[in-house]
């Protein structure tokens, strides 16, 4: 008794499909060497799909970075505005302090002048008192 092994039969359509796959793979290899690639939609592209994906990711990261820089600029702008306001307030307070110091100096000078006037008045009154005392002694 002879045993026959089942043989696989390949239909012509399967052979054509297999040949098309090989040809497609060869065409992709040849195009790949020439710098041309097929994307997921089988469209012909100049860039490798991986490079295209990396480019898209980089573009998104750059957009995020630019957005964050914009936010940073807004924050820094607000900070600069706040510091300017504080600088103006400090300058105003400085001017008030200078004015108050000058006023105190002026008051001190006025008091000194007033003191000198009063001392001169006292000296004048003492002289008048002496004259009156002498006049009194002469009259007595």
């Amino acid at each position: 008794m002879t045993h026959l092994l089942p043989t696989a039969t390949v239909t012509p359509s399967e052979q054509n499909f297999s040949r098309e796959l090989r040809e497609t793979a060869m065409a992709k290899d040849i195009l790949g060497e020439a710098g041309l690639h097929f994307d997921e939609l089988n469209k012909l592209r100049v860039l490798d799909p991986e490079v295209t994906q990396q480019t898209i990711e980089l573009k998104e990261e750059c957009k995020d970075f630019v957005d964050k820089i914009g936010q940073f600029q807004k924050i820094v702008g607000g900070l600069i505005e706040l510091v300017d306001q504080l600088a103006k307030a400090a300058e105003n307070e400085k001017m008030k302090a200078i004015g108050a110091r000058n006023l105190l100096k002026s008051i001190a000078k006025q008091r000194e002048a007033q003191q000198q006037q009063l001392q001169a008045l006292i000296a004048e009154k003492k002289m008048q008192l002496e004259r009156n005392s002498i006049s009194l002694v002469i009259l007595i």
Side-chain angles (χ1 to χ4, degrees), residues 29-48:
D29 290 341
I30 292 170
L31 289 173
E33 289 173 8
L36 300 172
H37 305 280
F38 287 100
D39 65 5
E40 63 278 351
L41 300 174
N42 287 327
K43 290 186 176 183
L44 190 59
R45 302 287 180 189
V46 176
L47 291 176
D48 182 10

Side-chain angles (χ1 to χ4, degrees), residues 3-64:
H3 292 287
L4 295 177
L5 294 172
T7 59
T9 58
V10 178
T11 64
S13 64
E14 289 175 337
Q15 285 177 346
N16 286 341
F17 181 73
S18 178
R19 183 173 47 89
E20 286 176 9
L21 281 177
R22 282 192 305 263
E23 288 174 356
T24 302
M26 284 179 22
K28 283 184 179 180
D29 290 341
I30 292 170
L31 289 173
E33 289 173 8
L36 300 172
H37 305 280
F38 287 100
D39 65 5
E40 63 278 351
L41 300 174
N42 287 327
K43 290 186 176 183
L44 190 59
R45 302 287 180 189
V46 176
L47 291 176
D48 182 10
E50 185 176 322
V51 173
T52 303
Q53 182 61 32
Q54 290 173 349
T55 303
I56 291 169
E57 289 172 4
L58 180 61
K59 180 180 175 183
E60 291 171 0
E61 288 177 20
C62 288
K63 184 184 178 300
D64 291 343

